[in-house]
């Protein structure tokens, strides 16, 4: 009996501890609210209100419905008429006020006061203009006198804008890892399968750039790194992204740009051309092979490609990309851990 009492007390203490720590437990991963859900809900509500009970069996040619168009346009017409009516009402109100002031003989005094107020407003506006002038700094377009066709031709001749083989994402063959769930249950993170690689590249590289609406609403992805041993299809995935998007491919690999656009001025011109042409003719994929070399502390003497040439300017350019720019930087690497080791050692 004594043993049973002791065991019960121990169990009670354990339960108490669990109850105390329940409030301190970290919350699990929570998905952020979707930017697409309101649009889907609105479309679903439109279907429920208009199309669910409508019989379209005799409308094989899908002719327009005049009543639906009238209902849609009626609101637009009402809003336009309301604006005109508001303007007329304001004008009538001004005329009435002017007539009342004329009768009272106070029109002159009011004119002086309004004149003073206007002067004060003008001064305020000047001050604001001065402030705006200080804040706004426009970036000069160093190729403003050239057409986009000539810039495109220049990049092609220099070998920066390259042609790629047509490869579909479905051509990247690979099976799904069926043992992944079992390993996760045993708290073992499995190696990603080729099917997982295909899915991630599609979700982060293809879908956001395929639509301007999706690109602006979805989380902004500016760059991707595809890592893997030699011969695993890293460059093939880059070509697949370009093929699925119909995008331009610009190759900024160190071996490709060596000897081109020399010096600081040349590098500035190169990056300017890549961004300008990439934004005007988007979507654009900027490819950088052997991306780990850019961040290596010591480059082998045998490597004459100057891989650290873009190290300072490239991160600045990537930061400047906004949701309106359908440009993505894709790097490939065989030894990405070299960069991590250097960072940990430092």
């Amino acid at each position: 009996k004594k043993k049973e009492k002791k065991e019960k007390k121990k169990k009670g203490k354990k339960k108490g501890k669990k109850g105390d720590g329940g409030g301190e437990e970290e919350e699990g991963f929570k998905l952020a609210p979707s930017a697409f859900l309101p649009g889907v809900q609105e479309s679903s509500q439109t279907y429920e209100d208009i199309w669910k009970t409508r019989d379209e069996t005799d409308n094989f040619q899908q002719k327009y419905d005049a009543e639906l168009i009238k209902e849609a346009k009626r609101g637009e017409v009402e809003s336009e008429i309301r604006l005109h009516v508001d303007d007329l009402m304001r004008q009538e109100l001004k005329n009435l006020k002017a007539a009342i002031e004329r009768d009272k003989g106070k029109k002159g005094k009011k004119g002086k006061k309004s004149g003073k107020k206007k002067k004060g407003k003008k001064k305020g506006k000047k001050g604001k203009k001065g402030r705006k002038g200080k804040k706004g700094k426009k970036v000069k377009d160093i190729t403003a006198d050239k057409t986009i066709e000539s810039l495109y031709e220049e990049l092609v001749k220099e070998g920066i804008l390259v042609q790629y083989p047509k490869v579909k994402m479905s051509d990247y063959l690979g099976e799904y890892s069926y043992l992944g769930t079992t390993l996760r249950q045993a708290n073992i993170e499995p190696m990603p399968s080729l099917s997982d690689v295909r899915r991630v590249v599609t979700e982060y590289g293809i879908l956001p750039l395929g639509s301007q609406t999706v690109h602006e609403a979805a989380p902004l992805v500016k760059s991707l790194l595809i890592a893997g041993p030699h011969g695993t299809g890293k460059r093939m995935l880059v070509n697949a992204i370009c093929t699925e998007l119909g995008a331009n491919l610009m190759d900024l690999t160190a071996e490709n740009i060596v000897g081109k656009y020399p010096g600081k001025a040349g590098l500035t011109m190169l990056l300017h051309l890549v961004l300008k042409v990439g934004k005007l003719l988007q979507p654009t994929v900027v490819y950088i092979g052997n991306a780990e070399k850019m961040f290596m502390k010591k480059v082998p003497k045998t490597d004459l490609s100057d891989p650290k040439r873009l190290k300072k300017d490239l991160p600045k350019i990537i930061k400047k990309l906004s949701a309106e720019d359908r440009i993505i930087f894709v790097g490939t690497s065989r030894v990405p851990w070299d960069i991590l080791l250097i960072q940990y050692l430092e």
Side-chain angles (χ1 to χ4, degrees):
K1 288 181 179 178
K2 289 181 179 179
K3 287 182 180 179
E4 289 177 0
K5 286 181 181 179
K6 287 181 180 179
E7 286 176 1
K8 285 180 181 179
K9 286 181 180 178
K10 287 180 181 178
K11 286 181 181 178
K13 286 180 181 178
K14 286 181 181 178
K15 285 180 181 178
K17 286 180 182 177
K18 286 182 182 178
D20 295 337
E24 297 177 0
E25 285 183 2
E26 294 183 0
E27 294 183 358
F29 176 73
K30 289 185 178 180
L31 290 171
S34 173
F36 303 98
L37 185 59
V40 174
Q41 290 176 338
E42 185 180 351
S43 300
S44 175
Q45 190 62 42
T46 304
Y47 172 77
E48 292 286 337
D49 297 340
I50 298 173
W51 301 104
K52 187 175 182 180
T53 57
R54 188 180 288 269
D55 186 9
E56 292 285 312
T57 53
D58 297 331
N59 190 15
F60 181 76
Q61 295 180 351
Q62 292 297 297
K63 294 180 179 179
Y64 67 90
D65 190 334
E67 291 301 321
L68 283 177
I69 296 172
K70 286 177 182 178
E71 287 179 12
K73 292 295 178 184
R74 192 174 288 117
E76 296 178 10
V77 173
E78 285 179 0
S79 60
E80 288 180 9
I81 292 173
R82 185 176 294 172
L83 291 174
H84 291 298
V85 172
D86 289 344
D87 291 336
L88 291 172
M89 293 295 291
R90 289 192 191 96
Q91 191 62 40
E92 288 293 330
L93 184 60
K94 285 181 182 178
N95 294 336
L96 287 171
K97 285 182 178 180
I100 292 168
E101 293 297 331
R102 198 183 302 115
D103 293 339
K104 292 181 179 180
K106 293 182 180 179
K107 186 180 178 183
K109 291 181 181 179
K110 189 179 179 183
K112 289 179 183 178
K113 288 180 182 178
S114 61
K116 288 180 182 178
K117 286 179 182 178
K118 284 179 182 177
K119 285 180 182 178
K121 286 179 181 177
K122 284 181 182 178
K123 287 180 182 178
K125 286 179 181 177
K126 282 182 182 178
K128 288 180 181 178
K129 284 181 181 177
R131 289 177 186 173
K132 285 182 181 177
K134 289 179 182 177
K135 286 183 181 178
K137 290 184 180 179
K138 292 183 179 179
V139 180
K140 290 182 179 179
D141 186 358
I142 56 179
T143 56
D145 57 336
K146 295 183 179 180
T147 61
I148 186 64
E149 290 82 4
S150 63
L151 299 178
Y152 191 93
E153 184 180 358
E154 182 180 342
L155 288 174
V156 171
K157 286 181 178 179
E158 293 291 340
I160 306 298
L161 206 155
V162 297
Q163 193 173 6
Y164 52 86
K166 304 297 180 184
V167 180
K168 293 182 179 180
M169 187 56 70
S170 57
D171 296 334
Y172 189 78
L173 304 177
E175 289 294 331
Y176 178 78
S177 177
Y178 296 98
L179 293 175
T181 305
T182 307
L183 291 172
R184 286 191 181 94
Q185 289 175 351
N187 294 325
I188 300 171
E189 186 62 29
M191 289 293 290
S193 64
L194 295 180
S195 176
D196 294 329
V197 173
R198 222 173 27 242
R199 175 183 59 80
V200 171
V201 172
T202 302
E203 290 178 358
Y204 289 92
I206 296 174
L207 293 179
L209 268 71
S211 167
Q212 185 65 37
T213 306
V214 175
H215 189 60
E216 291 178 359
L220 185 58
V221 179
K222 300 179 182 180
S223 59
L224 286 176
L225 177 65
I226 303 173
H230 180 72
T232 52
K234 299 185 291 296
R235 183 60 190 267
M236 181 182 177
L237 286 170
V238 176
N239 295 331
I241 292 171
C242 297
T243 303
E244 298 290 351
L245 293 171
N248 295 304
L249 176 61
M250 299 192 187
D251 190 355
L252 292 185
T253 305
E255 290 82 0
N256 188 48
I257 62 174
V258 63
K260 300 173 183 177
Y261 298 96
K264 289 185 178 179
L267 182 60
T268 304
M269 175 62 76
L270 172 61
L271 297 176
H272 170 76
L273 291 175
V274 169
L275 277 183
K276 184 173 181 178
V277 176
K279 287 180 180 180
L280 292 174
L281 301 176
Q282 53 190 357
T284 300
V285 176
V286 182
Y287 166 67
I288 301 174
N290 298 322
E292 77 283 349
K293 290 184 179 180
M294 190 185 303
F295 302 97
M296 291 178 71
K297 197 169 185 179
K298 292 183 180 180
V299 180
K301 293 181 179 179
T302 54
D303 191 350
L304 304 176
S305 61
D306 191 12
K308 299 174 74 174
R309 188 181 176 192
L310 298 172
K311 183 179 178 180
K312 290 183 179 179
D313 296 321
L314 192 64
K316 295 176 183 177
I317 290 172
I318 294 175
K319 283 182 181 178
K320 289 180 182 178
L321 294 178
S322 62
E324 298 175 357
D325 306 322
R326 286 191 292 158
I327 301 175
I328 189 168
F329 286 78
V330 182
T332 58
S333 175
R334 285 182 290 174
V335 283
W337 50 83
D338 281 1
I339 307 166
L340 297 174
L341 285 172
I342 291 165
Q343 290 177 353
Y344 283 131
L345 289 171
E346 288 178 351

